[in-house]
Amino acid sequence: MKTQRIVEILKSGVADTDLTVQGWVRTKRGNKNVAFIALNDGSCAANLQIVVDLEQIPESVLKNITTGACIRVDGRLVASPASGQRVEVQAKAIEVYGTADPETYPLQKKGHSLEFLRDIAYLRPRTNTFGAVLRIRHAMAYAIHEYFNKNGFYYFHTPIITASDCEGAGAMFQVTTLDLNNLPKNEEGKVDYTQDFFGKSCNLTVSGQLEGELGALALGRIYTFGPTFRAENSNTPRHASEFWMIEPEAAFFDLEDNMELAEDFLKYLIQYALDNCAEDLAFMNKMWDPELLDRLHFVVEHDFKRLEYTEGIEILKASGRKFEFPCDWGCDLQSEHERYLVEEHFKRPVILINYPKDIKAFYMKQNVDGKTVRGMDVLFPKIGEIIGGSEREADYGKLHARVQELGMNERELWWYLDTRRWGSAPHSGFGLGFDRLLIFVTGLTNIRDVQPFPRTPQHADF
Ligand code: 4AD
Ligand code: MG
């Protein structure tokens, strides 16, 4: 007898065969003759019903079958006489692997708030909601590799420890083995990083882009997919200190190609979820967001609106809306502005392009107007910015001048600048925030609820 997973049993289990199932008890109910156990093994949202004839199972075992306990059931799969399930299991023998004392186990039957579950993030994968979220998360990760593999992009591993600051925002976590209580100093009285582990000051990466560009300028098309880290003290529902990012980078792509890739990629991922996560999405739609499925279908079926930043500002100013933050030309857009454009004005995703150069990173291709750069942000309903990207400055002279103008550390960027000295090529790329994608696809509203173990300011438990 081979252990089977509940997802397969419910779908294709043959009635009147013996089987073994193992999983966690969601609920037990019944009367003095029979008990019904709802068993879940994480393979799908649905539970398998176990029917227990109380005379067949010793009382000493039965009393330990409580919500949260882990059990093994040997029994017979039969057609279920009741509506609600195709098949059920008649238990012949039950072994309790791990008990869960009802007095102390925090996840009792009743629904729990997402806030409560954050405090017990080490247990929440066992809830229906997190089971669904984590399975969708897996499906999205798989679909990302599938998409790029189909489209000729190579998975390229960029370093997590780095000495350069890609976004130039300085919001980085330092990596050091120096004794913080006894720091070596140089002649100027500053910390002497030549004595540090790497012989220089290093950080956790904020983006794999700079190294990703090297990949694209050799392999043509690459993508990265890994963790990134930002030490910004932003306590919003959309910012995490540790998040995963997908960064495709392609040689010979201009901004137009980049926009097409971004739109096609997002639609592919959402369609993949609709096709492969139907049960979990239906659950999320029922429990958390009654408009979720409509929104996912809507995005897949409609063209994204492409819009110049300058036009976007004009629309915002003409809207008559009182925003919390200003929105004059030159301002960085806040989530409220982005969502106004997407949710109220255009009522569909927007790709905003050609931003003022002063609010964008140094590597973006400069437009001939001298004021704007070929950046693009993809703005989504409920999220705001889900993708940030650009065509890259491929001209050595212009890039070098910009690095100097911004007072950046040229010594740490020499290798990046060198790519423009030999065999430079037009190229473009973008970064999709994986966790923001998950917010969109699950219908939840907080990044803390789509990551298994969120890292945010003052929070690094589990
Ligand atoms: O716009 P960002 O900062 O762009 C870059 O890092 C580029 N180097 C990407 C590239 O062109 N290869 O970040 C890209 C995306 C954002 O649009 C957002 O979805 C996500 O990463 N993101 C975050 N997600 C969660 N928490 C944070 N603190 C995030 N910061 C950015
Ligand atoms: Mg951005």
Side-chain angles (χ1 to χ4, degrees):
M1 234 187 317
K2 214 167 138 266
T3 297
Q4 292 179 37
R5 294 191 320 143
I6 289 172
V7 63
E8 283 116 28
I9 295 170
L10 289 174
K11 208 174 352 163
S12 51
V14 180
D16 302 317
T17 51
D18 288 338
L19 85 176
T20 296
V21 286
Q22 308 176 87
W24 292 267
V25 174
R26 284 292 212 262
T27 57
K28 185 177 76 173
R29 62 190 174 83
N31 54 40
K32 59 185 190 315
N33 303 316
V34 59
F36 299 98
I37 301 168
L39 194 70
N40 190 284
D41 68 356
S43 62
C44 60
N47 302 320
L48 179 61
Q49 173 152 290
I50 314 288
V51 185
V52 186
D53 177 349
L54 297 189
E55 286 191 345
Q56 284 207 6
I57 307 292
E59 171 56 28
S60 59
V61 172
L62 283 171
K63 75 171 195 322
N64 283 329
I65 301 177
T66 55
T67 294
C70 185
I71 64 173
R72 166 195 164 116
V73 179
D74 298 317
R76 197 160 179 81
L77 192 69
V78 297
S80 176
S83 67
Q85 64 265 329
R86 189 179 66 86
V87 287
E88 62 188 29
V89 172
Q90 279 170 352
K92 288 184 183 154
I94 298 181
E95 182 185 339
V96 177
Y97 288 143
T99 58
D101 179 1
E103 298 293 319
T104 55
Y105 184 59
L107 288 175
Q108 295 304 324
K109 240 195 276 183
K110 67 178 168 75
H112 300 285
S113 73
L114 293 168
E115 289 77 9
F116 169 76
L117 292 174
R118 275 176 218 152
D119 290 337
I120 51 163
Y122 69 114
L123 291 174
R124 66 183 182 171
R126 293 199 201 168
T127 63
N128 291 334
T129 294
F130 283 86
V133 168
L134 294 172
R135 281 186 296 270
I136 295 169
R137 198 174 161 99
H138 160 80
M140 290 295 88
Y142 179 81
I144 284 160
H145 290 298
E146 188 180 85
Y147 178 84
F148 286 125
N149 190 51
K150 279 185 184 169
N151 288 283
F153 285 73
Y154 297 110
Y155 187 23
F156 188 70
H157 288 118
T158 51
I160 288 175
I161 299 174
T162 170
S164 49
D165 177 4
C166 173
E167 293 306 296
M172 295 183 294
F173 291 101
Q174 196 167 359
V175 175
T176 180
T177 53
L178 291 177
D179 177 357
L180 296 184
N181 291 312
N182 186 19
L183 290 169
K185 298 280 170 65
N186 60 21
E187 280 156 15
E188 292 167 47
K190 296 200 172 135
V191 176
D192 181 8
Y193 284 107
T194 61
Q195 296 188 42
D196 203 350
F197 191 88
F198 296 105
K200 57 168 116 175
S201 167
C202 283
N203 303 292
L204 295 177
T205 190
V206 297
S207 159
Q209 177 194 326
L210 301 187
E211 293 90 351
E213 287 185 48
L214 308 188
L217 293 175
L219 297 166
R221 298 179 185 182
I222 64 93
Y223 68 105
T224 72
F225 183 12
T228 48
F229 307 86
R230 301 212 178 164
E232 338 162 78
N233 196 7
S234 337
N235 277 294
T236 84
R238 289 172 301 278
H239 287 86
S241 314
E242 175 175 330
F243 62 98
W244 282 59
M245 189 155 44
I246 303 103
E247 298 184 89
E249 192 72 35
F252 321 120
F253 270 40
D254 62 14
L255 190 62
E256 200 68 30
D257 300 319
N258 210 25
M259 285 194 272
E260 245 159 66
L261 177 68
E263 181 167 345
D264 190 56
F265 178 47
L266 284 167
K267 286 180 172 173
Y268 182 89
L269 297 179
I270 294 164
Q271 188 62 53
Y272 187 94
L274 287 167
D275 293 343
N276 294 276
C277 307
E279 188 193 19
D280 287 324
L281 288 178
F283 176 82
M284 298 306 290
N285 195 81
K286 188 173 105 204
M287 292 299 295
W288 300 106
D289 180 356
E291 287 161 19
L292 172 63
L293 288 170
D294 287 345
R295 198 179 310 116
L296 297 180
H297 282 290
F298 185 88
V299 167
V300 170
E301 287 157 16
H302 290 81
D303 288 343
F304 296 3
K305 173 71 190 173
R306 298 177 184 189
L307 187 73
E308 298 275 331
Y309 167 91
T310 302
E311 281 178 72
I313 292 292
E314 282 161 14
I315 291 169
L316 289 168
K317 289 179 91 83
S319 71
R321 179 65 65 95
K322 269 247 158 299
F323 294 109
E324 193 186 332
F325 293 93
C327 58
D328 296 312
W329 199 96
C331 288
D332 209 353
L333 293 190
Q334 302 294 323
S335 177
E336 55 173 347
H337 308 128
E338 297 171 339
R339 291 182 60 175
Y340 176 83
L341 291 174
V342 171
E343 291 166 22
E344 299 187 44
H345 192 84
F346 292 106
K347 298 195 179 358
R348 53 187 165 132
V350 171
I351 310 183
L352 206 56
I353 57 169
N354 293 328
Y355 282 79
K357 69 174 187 212
D358 290 336
I359 57 169
K360 289 293 184 190
F362 75 99
Y363 50 71
M364 294 192 183
K365 184 176 170 68
Q366 297 163 33
N367 280 319
V368 286
D369 64 12
K371 293 192 306 196
T372 60
V373 287
R374 297 187 74 67
M376 67 170 210
D377 279 4
V378 180
L379 314 179
F380 253 37
K382 305 278 266 185
I383 308 280
E385 179 191 338
I386 195 164
I387 277 181
S390 72
E391 184 169 346
R392 317 307 187 189
E393 183 54 77
D395 180 273
Y396 179 85
K398 287 187 185 153
L399 185 64
H400 187 237
R402 190 69 182 140
V403 165
Q404 287 192 321
E405 201 177 2
L406 291 170
M408 296 180 68
N409 187 347
E410 247 180 274
R411 271 203 326 240
E412 292 304 344
L413 279 174
W414 62 271
W415 52 273
Y416 181 73
L417 291 163
D418 264 8
T419 56
R420 275 64 168 172
R421 287 177 60 202
W422 304 303
S424 185
H427 63 288
S428 300
F430 61 79
L432 167 64
F434 186 56
D435 310 282
R436 289 196 188 170
L437 172 74
L438 261 292
I439 295 176
F440 185 74
V441 174
T442 60
L444 294 177
T445 51
N446 198 309
I447 201 162
R448 292 162 183 78
D449 300 327
V450 299
Q451 299 186 311
F453 303 105
R455 298 289 178 255
T456 52
Q458 300 297 314
H459 291 278
D461 292 332
F462 318 115

